[in-house]
Amino acid sequence: MELIQSAPELSGYLAADEAVDHHHPVVRETAARLRAEHSDAYSYAKAAFEFVRDAIPHSQDSGDLRVTWRASDVLRLGTGICYAKSIALVALLRAASIPAGFCYQRLADDDGGNPVVHGLIALKLPGEEAWVRQDPRGNRPGIDAQFSLDRERLAFPVRPESNEVDYPVLYAEPHPVVLAALKAAPDRPYLWKTLPTEL
C-alpha cells in the first residue's frame, strides 16, 4: 500500500527520540554485530528484521509479563509486544542510516468485534522509490511474516469484511496513543486491558 509520511523530510525517519534511542550502547552494539556479517543495506535490513522477529519473543507468545517500550530495553530484556518490537527494529535500521517509521493496522475478530491496533514498520532502502511495510511481530503457527520488498508478507493481512483497516500514515515516532499505553502499563495483563482500539 502507498504510505503517507507524517514527517515531510526523510531525516525525520532517521532521528532518535526517547523510544527510538538508537544512540544507546545496547542498540549500537546490536547493530554493529549485525553489520559485521551483513555489510550492504539490504542484507543488514533483512538480518535486523529477522533478529527482532526471531530472537526477541513476543511477550504474549512467551508468557513474559514485562512491558517494554524503549528500543534499548526491548533489546536488553529480549521481550516486547508488536509495538515494542517495531520500536526496536526501527532503532536498528536507523542506527545503520536506513530510514524507517511506524505504521499500524486495526485488527478484529471474525465478526468485527474486539478491535485492537497492531504495530508494524516501513523502511526505505537506498535506491528504492517506495516505503515497504514489514512486520517483526514474531511467527507462530498460523503467522508467517517474512522480509520482502516485492510483495508484503505481513503477520496479519487485513480483512475488510471483518472491519479491519490498514492505516495509511507512516509515523516518524511511535503513535502517541500507543506509546502512552505502553508507558502506563505496569505489566502485560494491565496493558492487554488498555490496548488502543483505533487511532
Side-chain angles (χ1 to χ4, degrees):
M1 72 176 291
E2 189 170 343
L3 295 166
I4 303 164
Q5 291 182 203
S6 68
E9 301 297 329
L10 207 55
S11 59
Y13 298 93
L14 292 167
D17 58 42
E18 65 170 346
V20 186
D21 57 344
H22 63 75
H23 296 309
H24 191 284
V26 170
V27 180
R28 287 288 178 192
E29 289 161 13
T30 305
R33 279 199 316 272
L34 292 168
R35 207 167 333 167
E37 297 181 15
H38 306 279
S39 57
D40 68 281
Y42 174 87
S43 65
Y44 174 86
K46 184 174 188 286
F49 167 84
E50 291 175 348
F51 175 79
V52 174
R53 184 194 64 189
D54 301 340
I56 300 171
H58 189 289
S59 54
Q60 181 187 19
D61 296 349
S62 66
D64 198 316
L65 301 182
R66 296 173 293 177
V67 175
T68 52
W69 59 269
R70 190 177 277 119
S72 55
D73 290 336
V74 177
L75 296 173
R76 181 174 57 85
L77 299 173
T79 190
I81 68 164
C82 62
Y83 307 142
K85 293 183 69 166
S86 293
I87 291 168
L89 179 54
V90 165
L92 289 173
L93 292 168
R94 291 183 185 182
S97 300
I98 298 171
F102 301 93
C103 38
Y104 300 93
Q105 298 172 313
R106 181 180 183 270
L107 304 176
D109 292 342
D110 290 344
D111 64 1
N114 297 313
V116 68
V117 173
H118 174 62
L120 50 157
I121 72 114
L123 57 83
K124 184 181 275 193
L125 288 175
E128 296 292 330
E129 291 292 320
W131 292 94
V132 183
R133 295 191 301 172
Q134 311 290 339
D135 192 341
R137 181 229 177 266
N139 290 338
R140 65 177 194 213
I143 297 175
D144 184 29
Q146 301 293 329
F147 186 84
S148 177
L149 298 183
D150 55 354
R151 67 181 182 90
E152 291 186 337
R153 307 257 326 257
L154 305 179
F156 305 107
V158 299
R159 303 167 301 166
E161 69 277 8
S162 297
N163 204 26
E164 295 184 335
V165 175
D166 278 319
Y167 290 109
V169 177
L170 177 63
Y171 297 91
E173 300 172 350
H175 194 283
V177 170
V178 166
L179 201 53
L182 290 172
K183 289 169 126 181
D187 56 33
R188 191 170 44 77
Y190 181 95
L191 177 62
W192 245 230
K193 298 174 189 171
T194 58
L195 287 173
T197 59
E198 63 182 355
L199 297 183

